[in-house]
Amino acid sequence: MLAPYEVTRSPHLTLAVRGSLDINTAPALAEEVDRIMANRPPAITVDLGALELIDSSGVAALVKLYKAIRAAGGTITFVNTRDQPLAIFKLLKMDRVFGI
Amino acid sequence: MTAPIRLSVPGTLAYRAVAVRVVAEAARLVSSSKRREPDNPLTVDVTDPFDTAVVSAFMEIFNNIALHAYSAATGTIELAITPGERQLTIEIADTGAPFDMTTVTPLPDVTADALPEGGMGIHIATAMLDEVSYQPGPPNRWRLLKRS
């Protein structure tokens, strides 16, 4: 199965999430979040432009990342959120928190 | 009334994507939405608000059944999906442990310092649909309805 994410570090640390981030794929992303946070990055961009579907487990994985970055004093920026994922963030009122 | 689309899948997460694809296509029969990428069968391609609501809610209910109803047992998930002229009904039956709806608590106010990491699934389903009902069994029966 294709990983639900891709991490690039140049020029900025970016986590691109794609496909379906759900109860089946979110655990892999949560593990990547642990690897990302091991380096205590000062900032990260989360690109959701290729994310088709998200469920509550996927939301939880992104919330974990959001909390970890903030707890480490870093900043996190969500970009390109669209369609079903955007509807879910709005429904949960997380769009305001995430600056979407 | 259109005859229901019937699907029976093992009640595990491995079969979730199959069920989600069928539900997405059934929603499209009601919304008349077009696939953005008609030649790419690998995408679920949900962009229409009606399709979004139906698929989002269904994914959460399927998760709930596979994770909780069948946490200690195996069984099937029986779907009867009825596309109508202006609505879609999804009836879901399982023979797992019944779900206690009274355990669903309201979502807290979301702030940067208080973001929930769980307990969101049933809220997503009920907020996205016009009707969500649950009858503990066996079999346990969910009925989801979305009007266009």
Side-chain angles (χ1 to χ4, degrees), chain A residues 7 9 13 15 32-41 44:
Chain A
V7 179
R9 291 181 168 78
L13 178 60
L15 173 67
E32 183 61 34
V33 167
D34 290 338
R35 287 191 287 272
I36 289 170
M37 291 312 302
N39 296 319
R40 298 179 66 86
I44 185 170

Side-chain angles (χ1 to χ4, degrees), chain A residues 2-24:
Chain A
L2 188 67
Y5 60 85
E6 182 178 9
V7 179
T8 55
R9 291 181 168 78
S10 178
H12 310 291
L13 178 60
T14 300
L15 173 67
V17 188
R18 61 193 171 208
S20 182
L21 183 58
D22 55 43
I23 196 165
N24 284 321

Side-chain angles (χ1 to χ4, degrees), chain B residues 37-120:
Chain B
E37 300 178 58
D39 298 327
N40 184 355
L42 297 179
T43 65
V44 178
D45 208 358
V46 170
T47 55
D48 178 89
F50 181 87
D51 305 349
T52 292
V54 169
V55 170
S56 299
F58 176 75
M59 290 193 300
E60 300 298 344
I61 301 301
F62 192 101
N63 291 354
N64 187 287
I65 295 170
L67 278 186
H68 301 299
Y70 287 133
S71 64
T74 57
T76 59
I77 297 175
E78 308 288 340
L79 302 175
I81 309 162
T82 308
E85 193 170 328
R86 300 182 63 84
Q87 68 178 40
L88 183 74
T89 306
I90 306 175
E91 294 167 294
I92 311 167
D94 70 80
T95 55
F99 177 62
D100 184 357
M101 289 288 273
T102 63
T103 61
V104 179
T105 55
L107 276 182
D109 288 338
V110 171
T111 68
D113 297 318
L115 283 171
E117 292 186 55
M120 296 176 278

Side-chain angles (χ1 to χ4, degrees), chain A residues 59-83:
Chain A
V59 171
L62 294 178
V63 166
K64 176 184 176 181
L65 174 61
Y66 179 89
K67 288 180 174 178
I69 288 281
R70 280 175 50 92
T75 60
I76 181 169
T77 306
F78 291 85
V79 298
N80 299 325
T81 313
R82 62 181 176 87
D83 299 332

